[in-house]
């Protein structure tokens, strides 16, 4: 699936009625977008030219021309990919355990594929550089996002990076209250509007601490306020299945971030990785 179509998928429910009409037309007549001027597209879709511009901006583009360029690049990149996108399905849709196994696998693969498409290499590089230069990394998230935060902390500790995390929100508030401009905050929230995470965001802003966000694509408080954003994709069909696919998507973002940090300072990092490995070797049977 192209980057543009994934963006549409992520923001669709937040679009206005008119913008959804543009989105539906776009998805059904993608080829026409390249060949027709905005006036003709507006006429054929039954909306105004302004609606097409608003729709483009809702996807994060400056306008329709910018959107067309991104879509063209996507199609060129994916020209050799002929396999249809994997569908998302809910746990209640499975007829038996074998079907459930396949649908769970498909959900995980789709979350990984779509998130990899959305992740921006420049944002990854900037975030890794921030972490390398920071006195400490303060990591925040609750629920399933908290488990992802704990995973990031364990990775950073292995390379001797001063990383703070706790599943206790009160301790998270303490970590946040003592941040400074020399630290970096990693805030994880799929919705981007989690109350506890937004409390941390406010403290980070007051302290002038750079904020790296891991959240879904679209308009939400966290993505609009963070300095660097990692967009992840995992459409939530239901609370239970959504928590699984979103966790997989966030874990991919964390793995990419950690790999970038290790890659950019590998000579130094490799020494600590070896020390970490040796420290637990005696516990291997």
């Amino acid at each position: 699936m192209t980057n543009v179509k994934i963006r549409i998928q992520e923001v669709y429910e937040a679009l206005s009625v008119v913008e959804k009409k543009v989105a539906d037309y776009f998805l059904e007549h993608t080829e026409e977008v390249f060949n027709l001027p905005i006036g003709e597209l507006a006429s054929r879709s039954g909306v105004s030219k302004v609606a097409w511009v608003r729709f483009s901006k809702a996807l994060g583009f400056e306008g329709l021309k910018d959107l067309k360029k991104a879509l063209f690049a996507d199609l060129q990149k994916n020209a050799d990919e002929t396999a249809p996108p994997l569908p998302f399905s809910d746990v209640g849709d499975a007829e038996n355990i074998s079907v459930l196994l396949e649908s769970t696998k498909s959900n995980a693969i789709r979350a990984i594929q779509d998130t990899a498409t959305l992740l921006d290499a420049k944002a990854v590089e900037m975030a890794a550089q921030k972490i390398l230069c920071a006195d400490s990394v303060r990591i925040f998230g609750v629920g399933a996002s908290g488990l992802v935060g704990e995973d990031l902390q364990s990775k950073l500790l292995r390379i001797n990076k001063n990383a703070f995390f706790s599943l206790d929100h009160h301790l998270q508030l303490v970590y946040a209250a003592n941040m400074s401009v020399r630290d970096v905050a990693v805030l994880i929230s799929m919705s981007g509007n989690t109350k506890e995470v937004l409390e941390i965001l406010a403290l980070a802003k007051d302290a002038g601490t750079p904020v790296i966000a891991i959240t879904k694509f679209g308009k939400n408080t966290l993505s609009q306020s963070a300095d660097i954003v990692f967009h992840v994709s995992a459409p939530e069909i239901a609370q239970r299945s959504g928590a699984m696919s979103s966790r997989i998507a966030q874990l991919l973002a964390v793995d990419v971030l950690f790999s970038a940090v290790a890659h950019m300072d590998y000579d130094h990092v490799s020494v600590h990785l070896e020390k970490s490995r040796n420290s637990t070797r005696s516990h291997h049977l």
Side-chain angles (χ1 to χ4, degrees):
M1 185 179 292
T2 65
N3 182 295
V4 175
K5 289 186 177 181
I6 293 171
R7 292 189 184 199
I8 294 173
Q9 167 187 279
E10 293 297 309
V11 305
Y12 188 83
E13 293 304 320
L15 296 175
S16 67
V17 174
V18 174
E19 289 167 349
K20 284 181 179 177
K21 194 171 182 180
V22 177
D24 292 338
Y25 185 88
F26 182 96
L27 293 172
E28 293 175 13
H29 306 90
T30 304
E31 291 300 322
E32 292 184 7
V33 175
F34 293 116
N35 302 318
L36 298 177
I38 188 171
E40 184 64 23
L41 288 171
S43 177
R44 294 194 183 192
S45 58
V47 300
S48 67
K49 290 189 287 186
V50 173
W52 275 88
V53 174
R54 286 204 305 265
F55 167 73
S56 301
K57 290 184 176 181
L59 298 184
F61 300 106
E62 294 180 2
L64 183 58
K65 184 177 180 180
D66 191 28
L67 186 156
K68 287 183 178 183
K69 287 172 62 178
L71 182 60
F72 179 77
D74 280 347
L75 294 176
Q76 290 292 103
K77 181 179 179 181
N78 298 325
D80 297 329
E81 296 181 10
T82 57
L86 295 167
F88 270 93
S89 57
D90 198 5
V91 293
D93 298 332
E95 298 176 0
N96 53 54
I97 297 300
S98 294
V99 173
L100 181 64
L101 190 156
E102 286 301 313
S103 65
T104 303
K105 179 187 74 174
S106 295
N107 288 353
I109 293 172
R110 176 74 180 277
I112 290 171
Q113 289 176 334
D114 288 356
T115 296
T117 300
L118 286 178
L119 286 175
D120 179 71
K122 289 183 179 179
V124 172
E125 183 176 358
M126 289 172 59
Q129 191 61 52
K130 289 283 187 185
I131 288 176
L132 286 170
C133 295
D135 286 352
S136 74
V137 183
R138 312 289 175 105
I139 306 164
F140 307 95
V142 297
S145 295
L147 299 177
V148 177
E150 192 170 40
D151 181 69
L152 177 58
Q153 183 202 26
S154 69
K155 285 179 166 62
L156 292 175
L157 288 175
R158 288 180 61 211
I159 60 173
N160 199 36
K161 194 64 194 175
N162 196 15
F164 293 80
F165 176 78
S166 174
L167 288 171
D168 186 318
H169 181 57
H170 286 187
L171 278 178
Q172 289 191 23
L173 289 170
V174 172
Y175 291 152
N178 289 287
M179 290 189 298
S180 74
V181 295
R182 297 184 303 276
D183 304 308
V184 62
V186 180
L187 275 60
I188 308 170
S189 168
M190 191 63 186
S191 70
N193 290 312
T194 307
K195 179 181 177 181
E196 293 87 345
V197 173
L198 296 186
E199 284 183 307
I200 301 295
L201 175 64
L203 291 171
K205 288 299 180 182
D206 286 344
T209 307
V211 174
I212 300 168
I214 299 177
T215 187
K216 70 176 183 178
F217 178 82
K219 290 183 178 180
N220 61 64
T221 305
L222 181 55
S223 66
Q224 290 176 317
S225 301
D227 300 289
I228 303 170
V229 182
F230 282 28
H231 288 125
V232 298
S233 174
E236 299 193 4
I237 298 171
Q239 243 179 346
R240 176 65 179 170
S241 57
M244 290 189 287
S245 58
S246 63
R247 188 188 73 248
I248 294 295
Q250 290 172 337
L251 284 170
L252 173 65
V254 161
D255 284 351
V256 169
L257 177 57
F258 172 76
S259 297
V261 171
H263 171 75
M264 291 169 66
D265 191 24
Y266 187 72
D267 288 343
H268 181 255
V269 164
S270 61
V271 174
H272 294 294
L273 284 173
E274 186 61 26
K275 286 182 178 180
S276 298
R277 188 179 298 111
N278 290 336
S279 71
T280 60
R281 187 161 289 168
S282 63
H283 291 265
H284 298 171
L285 298 178

